């Protein structure tokens, strides 16, 4: 009898308590988890190199016959080396293994093996140290593409791949929840085929087809869960806001709104007063709208219009920002407007005293305060509203699953407006915002000075330091961004020479923590008289806020950071953005970062520092020189790197909205497939909103939702 996918992995050979714990670190508990632990790359062992034509730069395969019996040499206590010679028709080499004496029973004269490793020429002898090996038997072919899995301590590639193989043989094939006609129409293989071939591909084509199939599932189920959520939300009513007079608000603005801003406000107004008459209970279908506009395009003015509309109709509005700093910024820019219109506004911030917080909560509970700005602390149960009518969130992708769920609860009967500064290609926003109506601001307010962008190499370092100095001397401030600090470098021979068939490049050596810290130190030495602060992910909330506040107040000249500043901080006095190892960032990310400067009246600059010499990397960076248009950049990113950069990522929790985790989206080369997935999901929901005809799919979505609830509670 076959096993259910929910069986714990301890049924597998050689996996007891200890190893199960190690697997758990990778989020793997059941057979199904294990099967969904997809390889992150594949070693291509198909190309057998002759010894004479060995590749000194990378690991590759050699087909060798053992020439001498292995001999073990003790180097010193606790350290031994096993050595033998092996050959092919082109030459001979020496194969060695450290501290693996037991291998002497594996290799014997005359036996053939496929070795995989990096060969070096040492004086007269070619050496192959600790290569991977597979016995080669005439007539039995070895796999060409060998999976390389993400590892955790206590696990090896061999162990994982053996476990996956066994799991695949034991597990029952679940009923394919993808409706057959949709599968066939998109020429997708079966689930079983995809499972087997994503781990142990028969060939490149099989691998590609499998990735497509599984990625299609991800997009399809994601789209379906959003569409169903939208359907549910539409069924609940939100307040009818029929009192519409925005003229006083519009007159209070010191500028003319752009056409796109006016259109967005128009969309919002129409949503909030509903189509036609309100229902007898005075409600209309709730607004669920996202306002997408590049950094600086003026989304706040549109959102404020919605807040004014709510206040005018006697309802409260809550605006949530992802950080305290952003919340404070919104509050300080919007409160005067509200005050001038006769509505009271308040900020609810973690750094306020208990007494201050209580006063705000009381004002919200009594309805005295019309407009409140804060972080997700606004969602706490302690905070109650007399007449909450509108919830606005800024940069929503920064909110985690838990906050989103709490938000959904708090705003069940309110209008919802979301602001996003990530210019997302149209096709993708259909996927990501399937539960929202979309308004786009594609036009920038007039009179913006374009930011000049340069791509330079390490040889410009001295000049670059001089340029920073010049900006500061002129009274301006500088941002320096280093790539996110990641784990230690992988030097495991098993992870060398990985072959990633599609999608984004993987970077072998993330900039280690030390380098970023050292960098800040070097900069301090180069510019000793300047005030330089370093901020990174391990610096916690209050301290981080303190540094950001100090920078905003002009008390710091240069802020060196990892990408924590990405979210819309506004420091108009900053005129120079330097991005180190720029090739490691997605273009859209670079664009977001660049948007931190050019917010004031002074000419601003962005310098991308990169020593990448690859043609592709450089031409990618040059796109940044050519355009300031976030949408164009986003389209390029999508073409070059796949959709991964736009999907909710960051921490694991955000990845799984609606229980869906995008594991394979990064590897999806073409956009046609996910467009098809969304189209098919839409058509299916339109024809059969309850999914009555697709019981397997209904069950699958239900299970996903349940899993999601479990992660929240
Ligand atoms: P974002 O879309 O990034 O949130 P903001 O709403 O913060 O952008 O607007 C950026 C700046 O542009 C603000 O200083 C705002 O006052 C200004 N602004 C907004 N709309 C216009 C406009 N139509 N004309 C001129 N300036 C504008
Ligand atoms: Mg903003």
């Amino acid at each position: 009898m076959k096993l259910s996918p929910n069986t714990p992995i301890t049924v597998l050979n050689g996996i007891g308590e200890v190893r199960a714990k190690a697997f758990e670190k990778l989020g793997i508990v059941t057979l199904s988890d294990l099967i969904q632990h997809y390889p992150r790359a594949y070693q291509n062992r198909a190309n057998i190199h002759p010894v004479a034509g060995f590749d000194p730069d990378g690991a590759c395969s050699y087909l060798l016959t053992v020439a001498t019996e292995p001999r073990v040499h003790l180097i010193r206590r606790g350290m031994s080396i096993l050595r033998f010679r092996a050959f092919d028709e082109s030459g001979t080499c020496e194969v060695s293994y450290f501290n693996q004496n037991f291998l002497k029973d594996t290799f014997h004269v005359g036996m053939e093996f496929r070795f995989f490793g990096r060969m070096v020429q040492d004086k007269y002898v070619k050496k192959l140290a600790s290569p991977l090996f597979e016995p080669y038997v005439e007539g039995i072919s070895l796999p060409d593409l060998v999976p390389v899995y993400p590892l955790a301590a206590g696990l090896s590639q061999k162990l994982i791949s053996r476990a996956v193989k066994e799991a695949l043989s034991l597990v029952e094939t679940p009923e394919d929840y993808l409706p057959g006609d949709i599968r066939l129409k998109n020429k997708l293989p079966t689930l079983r085929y995809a499972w087997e071939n994503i781990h142990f591909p028969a060939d490149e084509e099989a691998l590609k087809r499998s990735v497509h199939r599984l990625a299609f599932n991800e997009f399809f189920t994601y789209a379906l869960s959003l569409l169903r959520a939208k359907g549910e939300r539409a069924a609940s009513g939100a307040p009818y806001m029929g009192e519409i007079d925005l003229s006083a608000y519009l007159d209070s603005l010191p500028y003319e709104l752009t056409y796109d801003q006016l259109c967005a406000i128009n969309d919002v107004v129409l949503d909030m007063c509903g189509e036609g008459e309100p229902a007898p209970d005075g409600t209309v279908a709730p607004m669920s709208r996202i306002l997408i506009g590049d950094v600086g395009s003026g989304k706040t003015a549109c959102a404020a219009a919605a807040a004014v509309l709510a206040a005018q109709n006697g309802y409260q509005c809550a605006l949530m920002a992802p950080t305290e700093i952003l919340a404070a910024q919104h509050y300080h820019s919007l409160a005067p407007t509200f005050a001038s219109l006769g509505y009271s506004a308040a900020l609810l911030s973690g750094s306020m005293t208990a007494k201050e917080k209580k006063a705000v909560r009381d004002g919200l509970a009594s309805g005295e305060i019309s407009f409140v700005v804060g972080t997700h602390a606004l969602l706490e149960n302690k905070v109650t509203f007399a007449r909450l009518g509108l919830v606005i969130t800024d940069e929503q992708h920064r909110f985690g699953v838990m906050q989103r769920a709490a938000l959904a609860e708090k705003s069940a009967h309110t209008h919802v407006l979301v602001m996003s500064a990530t210019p997302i290609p149209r096709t993708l926003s259909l996927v990501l915002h399937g539960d929202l109506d979309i308004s786009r601001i594609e036009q920038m307010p007039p009179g913006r000075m374009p930011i000049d962008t340069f791509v330079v190499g390490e040889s410009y370092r001295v000049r670059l330091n001089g340029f920073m100095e010049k900006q500061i001397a002129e009274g301006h401030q500088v941002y320096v961004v280093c790539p996110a600090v990641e784990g230690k470098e992988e030097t495991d021979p098993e992870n060398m020479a990985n072959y990633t068939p599609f999608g984004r490049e993987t970077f072998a050596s993330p900039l280690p923590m030390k380098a970023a810290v050292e960098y800040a130190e070097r900069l301090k030495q180069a510019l000793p008289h300047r005030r330089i602060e370093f901020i990174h992910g391990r610096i916690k909330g209050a301290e981080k806020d303190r540094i950001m506040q100090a920078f905003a107040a002009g008390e710091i000249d240069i802020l060196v950071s990892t990408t924590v500043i990405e979210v819309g901080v506004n420091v108009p006095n900053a005129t120079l953005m330097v991005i180190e190892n720029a090739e490691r960032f997605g273009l859209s990310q670079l664009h977001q970062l660049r948007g931190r400067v050019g917010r004031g009246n002074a000419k601003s600059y962005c310098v991308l520092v990169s020593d990448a010499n690859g043609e592709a990397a450089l031409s990618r960076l040059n796109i940044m020189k050519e355009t300031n248009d976030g949408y164009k950049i986003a389209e390029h990113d999508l073409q070059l790197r796949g959709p991964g950069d736009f999907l909710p990522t960051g921490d694991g929790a955000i990845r799984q909205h609606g229980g869906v985790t995008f594991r394979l989206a990064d590897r999806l080369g073409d956009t046609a497939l996910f467009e098809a997935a969304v189209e098919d999901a839409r058509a299916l929901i339109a024809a059969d909103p309850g999914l009555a005809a697709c019981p397997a799919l209904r069950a699958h979505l239900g299970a996903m939702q349940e899993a999601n609830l479990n992660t929240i509670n």
Side-chain angles (χ1 to χ4, degrees), residues 161-224:
S161 109
R162 215 178 50 208
V164 171
K165 194 162 254 168
E166 197 190 345
L168 282 172
S169 74
L170 293 177
V171 87
E172 71 183 345
T173 308
E175 189 187 340
D176 199 338
Y177 54 79
L178 190 65
D181 52 338
I182 294 181
R183 182 168 75 76
L184 293 176
K185 181 174 141 240
N186 292 289
K187 301 192 177 63
L188 298 168
T190 63
L191 194 55
R192 166 59 75 169
Y193 176 95
W195 273 2
E196 280 172 359
N197 281 281
I198 194 159
H199 290 287
F200 307 107
D203 52 41
E204 279 180 43
E205 186 56 28
L207 173 59
K208 193 164 179 170
R209 275 162 56 74
S210 304
V211 168
H212 281 182
R213 164 61 212 256
L214 296 169
F216 188 94
N217 279 16
E218 291 176 357
F219 282 109
F220 182 73
T221 49
Y222 186 77
L224 271 184

Side-chain angles (χ1 to χ4, degrees), residues 296-322:
S297 61
K299 295 182 292 294
T300 320
C302 305
V308 169
L309 186 64
Q312 212 163 62
N313 285 272
Y315 286 94
Q316 293 166 298
C317 168
L319 193 165
M320 294 201 306

Side-chain angles (χ1 to χ4, degrees), residues 299-300 330 394-395 419 568:
K299 295 182 292 294
T300 320
H330 275 309
D394 194 6
E395 320 267 357
M419 294 188 271

Side-chain angles (χ1 to χ4, degrees), residues 620-639:
R620 206 163 69 85
L621 291 180
N622 280 327
I623 293 170
M624 297 298 296
K625 272 198 335 206
E626 285 154 23
T627 179
N628 270 308
D629 179 335
Y631 287 95
K632 274 196 196 138
I633 289 171
E635 288 290 349
H636 274 291
D637 236 2
L638 183 61
Q639 301 305 328

